[in-house]
Amino acid sequence: MLPDSRVLALVGLLLPLAGPAYAHHSSAPHFDPAKPVSLVGVVTSFRLVNPHAYLYFDVTGPDGQVSHWNCEMTAASVLQRNGWTEKLFAPGAVVSIEAMSARRDPNGCSFTSAVLSDGTRIARSGVITRGAAPARQNAESSSTPRPPALTTLSGRWITTPRGGGPPGGRGGPGTQNPFITIMTPAGKAAADAYDDRFDDPALRCSPSSIVRGWGEPGGVSEITQTRDAMTIKHEYMDTVRTVDVRTRQHPAAVKRSLTGHSVGWFEGSTFVIETTGFAAGVLLPHPGVMNSEDLRVVERLSLSADGSELTRTYEATDAKFLSAPLTGTSSWTRSTLPVSPYNCTELSGANNVRPGATR
């Protein structure tokens, strides 16, 4: 039995911080884990979009005043694999929500969990539980048929939980950037001018960089190999990269971009990708590492013995902004899931707009 919809109370227990495994940005700069909130409201709208789905609902306070709330969720591409549809939160439905308060939007929140009037429980990760059994297992459930082990890089891949590589966020306003020790003075100045609460490229539906493109939690990527090129297609922000395998030389003149120009070759069983020709931008949105046009990234892709796991290590060098290489490692497992259109629609609104600025 849900509490009366007129009740709105702050929860005294600290809710778990929704970290980078759930979102395209770290939650800490935008939402305050020290200010959890429990809300009961009536759904007005549900937008199942990337990079974040949003739930809109009205809450009637003890004084009878109605406030209009918006709650950020994780990416639609992840949620849909767990059975979510736009009908999950129907307009007019009463819903009980646990969330974290937004830092700048008084009626904004980051979704943690919900309970519908029929007892259905919904987790931020996407798992839907009706009664004692989940309505659908995780996207890569044990019942999902897996392709046979392959010795080629080609195929679809899904990110595994993060272990190695850079951390996913600052941990909240005021936390020191952990990469400050490998930045040049120019790199530090660029990082100081960047604020991921307002400058995150994802807020403009931008893929940011090739380092970020590989790292979307739960994201699907597809690799296609031909005699002349390797094509890497990331579901995240509909990013497509083409690696020229006919040469190790980059053209003298290249149109600079966030994904740069890539050439690749095999060293034994390891595929090496060298990318230059970058536009100045954001190498790591969280916590904020900037890159100049001098950026050079070398990636190494290798398969496990049975071909079921892909490991990528990378080294980024930038003479202007980095005094030492920035390195990382990440991995993927084979997947039968399609690379779905991302169709980014950013709905974060006032919570991600720099105070005093207009969006």
Side-chain angles (χ1 to χ4, degrees), residues 48-75:
L48 191 57
V49 299
N50 288 308
H52 290 282
Y54 266 81
L55 179 64
Y56 300 89
F57 53 99
D58 286 347
V59 174
T60 302
D63 59 359
Q65 295 296 311
V66 176
S67 56
H68 308 296
W69 281 75
N70 67 91
C71 217
E72 179 186 284
M73 298 171 162
T74 195

Short mmCIF file of all heavy atoms in Angstrom, two decimals, residues 48-75:
data_model
loop_
_atom_site.label_atom_id
_atom_site.label_comp_id
_atom_site.label_asym_id
_atom_site.label_seq_id
_atom_site.Cartn_x
_atom_site.Cartn_y
_atom_site.Cartn_z
N LEU A 48 11.71 8.33 -22.73
CA LEU A 48 12.68 7.25 -22.80
C LEU A 48 13.67 7.57 -23.91
O LEU A 48 13.54 7.12 -25.06
CB LEU A 48 11.96 5.93 -23.08
CG LEU A 48 12.77 4.63 -22.94
CD1 LEU A 48 13.38 4.50 -21.57
CD2 LEU A 48 11.90 3.42 -23.26
N VAL A 49 14.68 8.39 -23.56
CA VAL A 49 15.64 8.89 -24.55
C VAL A 49 17.06 8.72 -24.03
O VAL A 49 17.29 8.45 -22.85
CB VAL A 49 15.38 10.38 -24.87
CG1 VAL A 49 13.99 10.59 -25.44
CG2 VAL A 49 15.56 11.25 -23.62
N ASN A 50 18.03 8.89 -24.92
CA ASN A 50 19.45 8.92 -24.58
C ASN A 50 19.94 10.35 -24.57
O ASN A 50 19.41 11.19 -25.29
CB ASN A 50 20.25 8.12 -25.62
CG ASN A 50 20.04 6.62 -25.50
OD1 ASN A 50 20.17 6.06 -24.43
ND2 ASN A 50 19.70 5.98 -26.60
N PRO A 51 20.93 10.73 -23.79
CA PRO A 51 21.76 9.87 -22.92
C PRO A 51 21.12 9.57 -21.57
O PRO A 51 21.63 8.77 -20.82
CB PRO A 51 23.03 10.70 -22.74
CG PRO A 51 22.55 12.11 -22.81
CD PRO A 51 21.47 12.10 -23.85
N HIS A 52 20.00 10.25 -21.25
CA HIS A 52 19.29 9.98 -20.00
C HIS A 52 17.79 10.01 -20.26
O HIS A 52 17.28 10.93 -20.90
CB HIS A 52 19.61 11.02 -18.93
CG HIS A 52 20.99 10.95 -18.41
ND1 HIS A 52 21.39 10.02 -17.49
CD2 HIS A 52 22.10 11.68 -18.68
CE1 HIS A 52 22.67 10.19 -17.20
NE2 HIS A 52 23.13 11.19 -17.93
N ALA A 53 17.10 8.99 -19.75
CA ALA A 53 15.64 9.05 -19.71
C ALA A 53 15.23 10.00 -18.59
O ALA A 53 15.99 10.21 -17.63
CB ALA A 53 15.07 7.66 -19.48
N TYR A 54 14.04 10.58 -18.70
CA TYR A 54 13.55 11.50 -17.68
C TYR A 54 12.11 11.17 -17.34
O TYR A 54 11.28 10.93 -18.22
CB TYR A 54 13.65 12.95 -18.15
CG TYR A 54 14.92 13.63 -17.71
CD1 TYR A 54 16.10 13.45 -18.41
CD2 TYR A 54 14.96 14.43 -16.58
CE1 TYR A 54 17.29 14.05 -18.01
CE2 TYR A 54 16.14 15.04 -16.16
CZ TYR A 54 17.30 14.84 -16.88
OH TYR A 54 18.45 15.44 -16.47
N LEU A 55 11.83 11.19 -16.03
CA LEU A 55 10.48 11.00 -15.53
C LEU A 55 9.99 12.33 -14.96
O LEU A 55 10.67 12.95 -14.15
CB LEU A 55 10.44 9.93 -14.43
CG LEU A 55 9.08 9.64 -13.81
CD1 LEU A 55 8.13 9.06 -14.84
CD2 LEU A 55 9.23 8.69 -12.62
N TYR A 56 8.82 12.77 -15.40
CA TYR A 56 8.22 14.01 -14.93
C TYR A 56 6.95 13.66 -14.13
O TYR A 56 6.14 12.83 -14.57
CB TYR A 56 7.86 14.91 -16.11
CG TYR A 56 9.05 15.28 -16.96
CD1 TYR A 56 9.44 14.48 -18.03
CD2 TYR A 56 9.80 16.42 -16.68
CE1 TYR A 56 10.56 14.81 -18.80
CE2 TYR A 56 10.90 16.77 -17.45
CZ TYR A 56 11.28 15.95 -18.51
OH TYR A 56 12.37 16.29 -19.27
N PHE A 57 6.81 14.28 -12.97
CA PHE A 57 5.67 13.95 -12.12
C PHE A 57 5.33 15.13 -11.21
O PHE A 57 6.18 15.99 -10.93
CB PHE A 57 5.96 12.69 -11.28
CG PHE A 57 7.23 12.75 -10.48
CD1 PHE A 57 7.20 13.08 -9.12
CD2 PHE A 57 8.46 12.49 -11.07
CE1 PHE A 57 8.37 13.14 -8.38
CE2 PHE A 57 9.64 12.55 -10.33
CZ PHE A 57 9.60 12.87 -8.99
N ASP A 58 4.10 15.16 -10.76
CA ASP A 58 3.63 16.22 -9.87
C ASP A 58 3.51 15.68 -8.45
O ASP A 58 3.01 14.58 -8.22
CB ASP A 58 2.25 16.72 -10.32
CG ASP A 58 2.33 17.60 -11.56
OD1 ASP A 58 3.45 18.01 -11.91
OD2 ASP A 58 1.29 17.85 -12.17
N VAL A 59 3.99 16.48 -7.50
CA VAL A 59 3.93 16.13 -6.08
C VAL A 59 3.09 17.18 -5.36
O VAL A 59 3.33 18.38 -5.52
CB VAL A 59 5.34 16.06 -5.47
CG1 VAL A 59 5.25 15.85 -3.96
CG2 VAL A 59 6.15 14.94 -6.12
N THR A 60 2.12 16.72 -4.60
CA THR A 60 1.30 17.63 -3.81
C THR A 60 1.84 17.65 -2.39
O THR A 60 1.88 16.62 -1.71
CB THR A 60 -0.17 17.19 -3.81
OG1 THR A 60 -0.64 17.12 -5.15
CG2 THR A 60 -1.02 18.19 -3.02
N GLY A 61 2.28 18.82 -1.94
CA GLY A 61 2.85 18.96 -0.61
C GLY A 61 1.80 19.04 0.47
O GLY A 61 0.59 19.13 0.20
N PRO A 62 2.23 19.01 1.74
CA PRO A 62 1.29 19.09 2.88
C PRO A 62 0.44 20.35 2.85
O PRO A 62 -0.66 20.37 3.41
CB PRO A 62 2.23 19.08 4.09
CG PRO A 62 3.47 18.40 3.60
CD PRO A 62 3.61 18.83 2.18
N ASP A 63 0.93 21.43 2.19
CA ASP A 63 0.16 22.67 2.13
C ASP A 63 -0.80 22.71 0.96
O ASP A 63 -1.46 23.71 0.71
CB ASP A 63 1.11 23.87 2.05
CG ASP A 63 2.03 23.80 0.84
OD1 ASP A 63 1.94 22.80 0.07
OD2 ASP A 63 2.84 24.73 0.65
N GLY A 64 -0.87 21.59 0.21
CA GLY A 64 -1.77 21.54 -0.93
C GLY A 64 -1.19 22.09 -2.21
O GLY A 64 -1.82 22.01 -3.26
N GLN A 65 0.02 22.63 -2.15
CA GLN A 65 0.66 23.17 -3.34
C GLN A 65 1.25 22.04 -4.18
O GLN A 65 1.87 21.11 -3.66
CB GLN A 65 1.76 24.16 -2.95
CG GLN A 65 1.24 25.40 -2.24
CD GLN A 65 0.34 26.23 -3.14
OE1 GLN A 65 0.69 26.52 -4.28
NE2 GLN A 65 -0.82 26.60 -2.63
N VAL A 66 1.07 22.15 -5.49
CA VAL A 66 1.59 21.14 -6.41
C VAL A 66 2.92 21.62 -6.98
O VAL A 66 3.04 22.74 -7.47
CB VAL A 66 0.60 20.88 -7.56
CG1 VAL A 66 1.21 19.90 -8.57
CG2 VAL A 66 -0.71 20.33 -7.02
N SER A 67 3.95 20.77 -6.91
CA SER A 67 5.25 21.08 -7.50
C SER A 67 5.53 20.10 -8.62
O SER A 67 5.17 18.93 -8.56
CB SER A 67 6.36 21.01 -6.43
OG SER A 67 6.36 19.75 -5.79
N HIS A 68 6.16 20.60 -9.67
CA HIS A 68 6.45 19.80 -10.86
C HIS A 68 7.89 19.32 -10.80
O HIS A 68 8.82 20.11 -10.84
CB HIS A 68 6.21 20.63 -12.12
CG HIS A 68 4.87 21.30 -12.16
ND1 HIS A 68 3.68 20.58 -12.21
CD2 HIS A 68 4.52 22.61 -12.14
CE1 HIS A 68 2.67 21.43 -12.24
NE2 HIS A 68 3.15 22.66 -12.19
N TRP A 69 8.08 18.01 -10.74
CA TRP A 69 9.41 17.41 -10.57
C TRP A 69 9.89 16.73 -11.84
O TRP A 69 9.09 16.30 -12.68
CB TRP A 69 9.38 16.38 -9.44
CG TRP A 69 9.43 16.99 -8.07
CD1 TRP A 69 8.41 17.64 -7.42
CD2 TRP A 69 10.57 17.02 -7.20
NE1 TRP A 69 8.84 18.07 -6.19
CE2 TRP A 69 10.16 17.72 -6.02
CE3 TRP A 69 11.86 16.55 -7.28
CZ2 TRP A 69 11.02 17.92 -4.95
CZ3 TRP A 69 12.73 16.74 -6.21
CH2 TRP A 69 12.31 17.43 -5.07
N ASN A 70 11.21 16.65 -11.97
CA ASN A 70 11.83 15.88 -13.05
C ASN A 70 12.95 15.04 -12.45
O ASN A 70 13.72 15.52 -11.63
CB ASN A 70 12.36 16.79 -14.15
CG ASN A 70 13.53 17.65 -13.69
OD1 ASN A 70 14.70 17.25 -13.81
ND2 ASN A 70 13.23 18.83 -13.15
N CYS A 71 13.02 13.80 -12.85
CA CYS A 71 14.01 12.89 -12.28
C CYS A 71 14.80 12.23 -13.41
O CYS A 71 14.22 11.60 -14.30
CB CYS A 71 13.31 11.82 -11.44
SG CYS A 71 14.21 11.34 -9.95
N GLU A 72 16.12 12.39 -13.33
CA GLU A 72 17.01 11.83 -14.35
C GLU A 72 17.23 10.35 -14.10
O GLU A 72 17.45 9.91 -12.98
CB GLU A 72 18.34 12.58 -14.32
CG GLU A 72 19.35 12.06 -15.33
CD GLU A 72 20.70 12.73 -15.18
OE1 GLU A 72 20.83 13.90 -15.61
OE2 GLU A 72 21.61 12.09 -14.62
N MET A 73 17.20 9.57 -15.19
CA MET A 73 17.46 8.13 -15.13
C MET A 73 18.68 7.81 -15.98
O MET A 73 19.34 8.70 -16.48
CB MET A 73 16.23 7.37 -15.61
CG MET A 73 14.99 7.62 -14.74
SD MET A 73 13.51 6.90 -15.49
CE MET A 73 12.43 6.87 -14.06
N THR A 74 18.96 6.53 -16.15
CA THR A 74 20.08 6.14 -16.99
C THR A 74 19.65 6.11 -18.45
O THR A 74 18.53 6.49 -18.80
CB THR A 74 20.66 4.79 -16.53
OG1 THR A 74 21.94 4.59 -17.12
CG2 THR A 74 19.73 3.65 -16.87
N ALA A 75 20.55 5.66 -19.34
CA ALA A 75 20.30 5.74 -20.78
C ALA A 75 19.19 4.81 -21.24
O ALA A 75 19.06 3.68 -20.77
CB ALA A 75 21.58 5.42 -21.53
#
